[in-house]
């Protein structure tokens, strides 16, 4: 059983080693994309609500996410 586990672990590590440099996104780029997606979601929710107070809250949340995306973009440069 241990030998099977060792072989499986080795195969997994070899597959990870095979994709060296495969990703080009940095943490800042991922954070920026995440905040932009959240802002878009909040804006859509604000457009779909019928309550004015909820719309304002969602618009404010979208603005916060947009500011966070801008900060992430500034940090990656």
């Amino acid at each position: 059983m241990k030998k099977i586990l060792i072989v499986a672990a080795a195969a997994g590590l070899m597959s990870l080693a095979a994709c060296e440099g495969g990703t080009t996104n940095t943490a800042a780029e991922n954070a920026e994309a995440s905040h932009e997606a959240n802002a878009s979601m909040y804006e859509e929710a604000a457009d779909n609500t019928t309550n004015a107070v909820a719309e304002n809250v969602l618009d404010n949340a979208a603005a916060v996410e947009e500011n966070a995306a801008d900060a992430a973009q500034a940090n990656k440069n």
Side-chain angles (χ1 to χ4, degrees):
M1 185 69 169
K2 282 186 177 182
K3 289 181 182 180
I4 294 173
L5 204 64
I6 291 172
V7 169
L13 290 174
M14 289 173 63
S15 67
L16 286 175
C19 53
E20 81 179 71
T23 180
T24 58
N25 289 353
T26 64
E29 289 170 335
N30 291 338
E32 179 186 4
S34 175
H35 288 300
E36 287 175 351
N38 287 342
S40 177
M41 178 192 66
Y42 285 132
E43 287 170 353
E44 286 183 32
D47 291 342
N48 292 330
T49 188
T50 58
N51 185 331
V53 173
E55 183 178 359
N56 287 337
V57 168
L58 291 167
D59 282 336
N60 288 340
V64 167
E65 290 293 335
E66 288 169 354
N67 289 340
D70 291 343
Q73 182 180 22
N75 284 335
K76 83 175 174 188
N77 294 334

